[in-house]
Amino acid sequence: MNFRAPITFVLFASILALASFTRPSPAQAPTPAQFVPQGGFGFTDFSSEAQQEQKFLAVPDPKQAGDDLTTLTAEPHLAATPEDHKTAEFVARKFRAAGLETEIVPYRVLLNYPKAVHVEAWDESGHPLMTGPTREHVGGEGQGGDPQQDDPRIVMPYNSSSGSGDVTGQVVYANYCRLEDFDSLAAQHIDLHGKIVMCRYGTNFRGVKVYLAEQRGAVAVLIYSDPQDDGYYKGDPYPAGPWRPDTGVQRGSVQYLFKYSGDPETPGVASTLDLPDSARIKDIAGPDGDQPRIISIPLSSHDAAPILGALKGPSVPQGWQGALPFPYHLGPTGVKVHLVSQQDYQRRIIWDVIGKIPGAADPDSPVIVGNHRDAWVYGAVDPSSGTAAMLEAVRGLGTLLHQGWRPRRTIIFCSWDAEEEGLIGSTEWVEQQGHALDHAVAYFNVDVAVSGPNFSASAVPSLKDFVRDIARSGPSPVSGSVFLQWRKKGPSSDDHNGSNAPPIQGEETHVGDLGSGSDFTPFLQHAGVPSTDIGSSGPYGVYHSAFDDMAWYKKNADPDFLYLQQMARVLGLEAMRMADADALPYDYVAYAREISAYIEAAKRRASDAGQNPGRNSDRNTDLSSLDFTTAESAAARFTAAAQRVRALQSTPYGDLVLLNLALRQAETALLSPAGLPNRPWYRHTIYAPGEFTGYAAVVIPGVNEAIDSRNANLAAQQLTELAQALDRAAKALSTAH
């Protein structure tokens, strides 16, 4: 997917971004001979590493990447289907050809396929308004239609993790189905019990929309793509342009990922083939499973328009009007809708592909690189552009292997399955590895590698400068380095995940914070592995639709596959440099500085909230007396330890074994043994997806979410948890010599 990218494609582009997209010709791309890798933090002598990196940069090839992308997108390959297995075999062959020790690792996980999805609506006089879902289709032969749109294997529009049922009811329009949207409806005394909630994609994860609607008593949710967010309001729809056509549907998972990711029956436990059924949750929609109970169905704007257009009741508040050509109303009068959702839930086999390059000096401290392989349909952008880029990175490192190079640390390349349904393949693998990942030095993720020319990245603070150095070392298809083009682009809302973190002053380039929605989630937020996520974005309106195919990709994203080459180079450089560094190139001074800023921002928010008790005034809401002293003192101790270890990372080094062990243990020390309140699978005290955002990162989540809920006792308890985590991290750093 990019499960991670919020579904409003405002976040992927703007008209300005489209206008500035100058497609480079192959002749413009800088050659590695003209390009010298930059950086070197963590190396006693970077010159030898620079020579190997320059050799690597010469290998990734646009044509080969395009050929691989063509193969990967030849058929729809939904997780656990025969076509999905074919892509696993293809990736495994590529890994083996490069010299990687390769295995296909199966898991048995609960997945639903749709048996029947049906929507029909009538106006208040009983006149039929629509019957759907309408098949995705654009134009026709000779009219610019899509060459792959009529494949009978394209799965009908549905939501993974949706409930099954047959319901009829009135409709209430709830804008984006955010917490504040539901609060606005409640303030207008609009009761959602027994209603069908209709909302548009955007601003939060679709599973959060269902979660909130279910809490308010709704029996079903219809989620549609409004043209204002990724359709004709943004520009020409496909096939004339990159934006969503009126029949385009965004499929997706509504699993409650903010509770836990992976197989919904086995939170915290690897769903291996031999796991007994007795070890699984019996009712995933019950209190132990905490997964959706109600129906949810995705709709195109074509199918949503007749329903929205006939709704009566109050006019919508300011900001709720979309781009369909009529005034929006809240309902519930005017329309009655009948929904049928019959979902076939079964335990199905999925396949991760794992390829290993053993390390020469430190084989038990691996660098892990991952991208998911399954797609809702063809997945040219999401995720096959990432797979094609990863395969070229693998081929580049394989070339070095054949020339005698060996990395200092083991490098593991991973092709994950069933990411779209809930980050399942990566989560099961992480849960199977257990404490072995305590020694993994980094996880580098790529998902939507290329939907356009605008490079962006997210990372833990200790790796933000590392990503910038890598970008300085990779040639751009336009001119100069990836970093130079990134800096020219300037700050942009398409920098992956949003965050509630305070802005950082003076950044040359913005590196975002890691929320959720892609496969870094189990590595960072459950296992405590330092992580990054990279991508190159542009106007992209066909997300999770049948039109995310090669025809769209070549027309709108990367016609010469030069950005695939760029992303292969960046991904490979990340792996090489982290694997070969003498001292792990983490920057804990930057980490400490950001954490201190988070605490200060939370302190201000608590003060503001204390002056405005809000809707939960009947609870323990006196936030004005919260004591941040203990957390601030712990942050100061962490800062001092980070400054000391930073000096040790400068050459010449002391005891490298102790230094690297201390550097690595500090991230793991930030995990809470108890996990976050109400969602213990998430253990990171600094970063988590927001309970009511699902994608965007919430920093120091235990503290901030307690403040948001006006729960002073919980906020105080979470401040103690945070202080203890920071003290553990400072103690870990202090063991370096």
Side-chain angles (χ1 to χ4, degrees):
M1 66 183 136
N2 189 347
F3 218 154
R4 66 177 145 85
I7 321 160
T8 94
F9 292 95
V10 167
L11 299 180
F12 277 100
S14 66
I15 300 301
L16 288 176
L18 181 59
S20 66
F21 183 4
T22 302
R23 287 183 178 141
S25 68
Q28 287 178 282
T31 66
Q34 301 168 327
F35 206 88
V36 179
Q38 303 295 306
F41 177 59
F43 287 85
T44 306
D45 177 9
F46 185 64
S47 59
S48 176
E49 174 68 15
Q51 290 175 4
Q52 293 296 334
E53 289 184 7
Q54 203 160 18
K55 291 178 184 178
F56 164 78
L57 289 172
V59 179
D61 176 66
K63 182 181 183 303
Q64 183 61 58
D67 289 347
D68 288 345
L69 187 61
T70 300
T71 299
L72 290 161
T73 59
E75 300 173 300
H77 51 284
L78 191 66
T81 61
E83 293 82 6
D84 176 41
H85 188 258
K86 286 170 64 175
T87 65
E89 294 284 2
F90 173 74
V91 168
R93 288 196 299 272
K94 289 283 186 174
F95 281 5
R96 293 185 183 110
L100 277 61
E101 299 175 3
T102 302
E103 61 177 335
I104 296 178
V105 181
Y107 296 98
R108 188 167 65 111
V109 301
L110 188 70
L111 297 176
N112 62 300
Y113 292 161
K115 291 194 291 187
V117 176
H118 187 67
V119 181
E120 54 186 342
W122 305 267
D123 64 18
E124 57 188 357
S125 66
H127 182 268
L129 293 171
M130 60 81 66
T131 300
T134 300
R135 185 175 184 85
E136 292 174 290
H137 200 274
V138 289
E141 191 168 347
Q143 300 176 23
D146 184 277
Q148 291 182 283
Q149 66 186 353
D150 294 323
D151 192 311
R153 293 170 295 183
I154 294 174
V155 69
M156 71 176 75
Y158 82 108
N159 283 337
S160 175
S161 291
S162 168
S164 293
D166 185 325
V167 300
T168 301
Q170 293 179 305
V171 175
V172 173
Y173 172 61
N175 195 26
Y176 290 112
C177 278
R178 301 169 298 183
L179 183 62
E180 57 264 41
D181 295 333
F182 285 108
D183 286 348
S184 177
L185 292 173
Q188 297 182 67
H189 306 290
I190 296 177
D191 184 6
L192 297 182
H193 284 84
K195 303 297 192 301
I196 295 169
V197 169
M198 189 165 193
C199 55
R200 48 178 169 159
Y201 273 116
T203 77
N204 60 357
F205 169 52
R206 67 186 74 80
V208 171
K209 300 175 191 291
V210 175
Y211 176 64
L212 291 172
E214 185 178 273
Q215 287 183 333
R216 303 296 174 109
V219 294
V221 181
L222 293 171
I223 315 175
Y224 79 100
S225 299
D226 197 288
Q228 186 178 73
D229 299 311
D230 67 352
Y232 59 71
Y233 184 85
K234 307 295 293 182
D236 288 334
Y238 182 68
W243 298 105
R244 191 177 300 271
D246 68 347
T247 61
V249 181
Q250 183 190 142
R251 299 156 181 81
S253 174
V254 294
Q255 182 175 337
Y256 291 167
L257 285 173
F258 43 89
K259 297 288 188 180
Y260 58 88
S261 67
D263 177 14
E265 290 188 312
T266 62
V269 178
S271 192
T272 56
L273 298 188
D274 58 357
L275 183 72
D277 291 349
S278 60
R280 300 171 185 269
I281 292 173
K282 299 298 184 292
D283 179 9
I284 62 168
D288 294 331
D290 210 357
Q291 293 300 317
R293 299 167 178 81
I294 64 175
I295 296 171
S296 63
I297 297 173
L299 288 181
S300 65
S301 62
H302 176 277
D303 285 346
I307 299 173
L308 283 169
L311 269 183
K312 295 184 178 180
S315 295
V316 296
Q318 184 176 3
W320 288 37
Q321 174 70 41
L324 292 170
F326 45 76
Y328 290 20
H329 291 83
L330 296 178
T333 57
V335 180
K336 182 175 287 187
V337 170
H338 175 221
L339 306 179
V340 174
S341 172
Q342 295 178 12
Q343 301 297 323
D344 178 19
Y345 276 90
Q346 291 186 31
R347 294 177 188 129
R348 295 178 161 94
I349 306 299
I350 62 169
W351 307 275
D352 289 347
V353 185
I354 310 296
K356 183 185 297 185
I357 302 173
D362 192 0
D364 297 325
S365 300
V367 176
I368 304 169
V369 182
N371 158 261
H372 79 93
R373 191 187 64 256
D374 63 295
W376 284 110
V377 189
Y378 300 104
V381 170
D382 179 13
S384 300
S385 64
T387 306
M390 184 172 72
L391 290 177
E392 274 302 275
V394 166
R395 194 171 69 86
L397 295 186
T399 300
L400 297 188
L401 282 173
H402 293 314
Q403 295 172 358
W405 168 81
R406 288 293 182 274
R408 176 189 182 95
R409 299 177 183 85
T410 296
I411 301 176
I412 303 174
F413 284 94
C414 306
S415 175
W416 309 119
D417 204 355
E419 186 266 6
E420 295 293 3
E421 287 75 11
L423 319 181
I424 294 177
S426 59
T427 299
E428 300 314 305
W429 192 81
V430 165
E431 291 173 343
Q432 187 174 16
Q433 302 309 305
H435 286 293
L437 291 179
D438 291 349
H439 302 288
V441 298
Y443 174 69
F444 298 133
N445 192 65
V446 64
D447 189 334
V448 173
V450 180
S451 62
N454 299 318
F455 182 82
S456 62
S458 298
V460 292
S462 58
L463 291 178
K464 288 184 178 182
D465 267 348
F466 173 82
V467 172
R468 294 184 181 104
D469 281 346
I470 294 297
R472 290 184 179 95
S473 299
S476 163
V478 179
S479 64
S481 67
V482 175
F483 181 85
L484 177 64
Q485 299 304 321
W486 185 12
R487 186 174 63 187
K488 283 182 177 179
K489 183 194 71 169
S492 172
S493 60
D494 68 347
D495 283 329
H496 286 208
N497 302 291
S499 169
N500 71 333
I504 300 172
Q505 301 301 317
E507 285 185 308
E508 281 190 283
T509 54
H510 176 65
V511 180
D513 299 315
L514 293 167
S516 186
S518 197
D519 293 301
F520 55 78
T521 293
F523 283 92
L524 174 62
Q525 292 152 350
H526 185 70
V529 181
S531 299
T532 73
D533 185 38
I534 59 172
S536 186
S537 67
Y540 175 42
V542 296
Y543 174 67
H544 286 192
S545 77
F547 307 121
D548 185 0
D549 60 12
M550 281 298 290
W552 186 95
Y553 186 92
K554 292 178 70 174
K555 181 179 179 66
N556 297 292
D558 188 20
D560 298 311
F561 310 114
L562 292 176
Y563 286 96
L564 283 183
Q565 179 189 44
Q566 170 187 284
M567 298 308 292
R569 287 169 165 170
V570 171
L571 194 64
L573 287 176
E574 281 192 296
M576 283 186 72
R577 194 167 297 184
M578 185 60 72
D580 287 341
D582 299 309
L584 292 171
Y586 305 150
D587 183 356
Y588 277 109
V589 173
Y591 213 146
R593 184 169 57 247
E594 291 204 28
I595 290 171
S596 294
Y598 301 162
I599 293 171
E600 181 60 31
K603 188 176 181 179
R604 292 193 299 270
R605 293 176 71 245
S607 177
D608 292 344
Q611 298 171 29
N612 300 283
R615 57 190 171 89
N616 291 325
S617 56
D618 58 328
R619 297 178 58 189
N620 168 45
T621 60
D622 184 11
L623 296 166
S624 59
S625 61
L626 272 181
D627 185 0
F628 283 78
T629 304
T630 302
E632 291 170 325
S633 298
R637 289 188 289 274
F638 180 56
T639 298
Q643 291 169 339
R644 178 179 173 275
V645 84
R646 178 76 176 190
L648 293 175
Q649 287 171 282
S650 302
T651 56
Y653 305 114
D655 188 324
L656 273 174
V657 173
L658 282 177
L659 175 61
N660 287 329
L661 182 62
L663 288 164
R664 177 60 189 88
Q665 286 180 334
E667 185 75 57
T668 302
L670 294 172
L671 299 180
S672 166
L676 295 181
N678 303 315
R679 41 186 186 146
W681 186 90
Y682 284 96
R683 303 193 294 167
H684 208 284
T685 59
I686 312 300
Y687 297 104
E691 183 177 1
F692 300 125
T693 67
Y695 283 124
V698 172
V699 300
I700 52 172
V703 175
N704 275 316
E705 291 188 337
I707 292 170
D708 288 342
S709 65
R710 308 295 201 274
N711 190 330
N713 286 343
L714 181 60
Q717 184 264 330
Q718 287 299 301
L719 280 167
T720 299
E721 289 278 350
L722 174 62
Q724 291 172 347
L726 291 173
D727 278 336
R728 288 194 300 270
K731 183 177 180 180
L733 290 178
S734 70
T735 62
H737 295 291

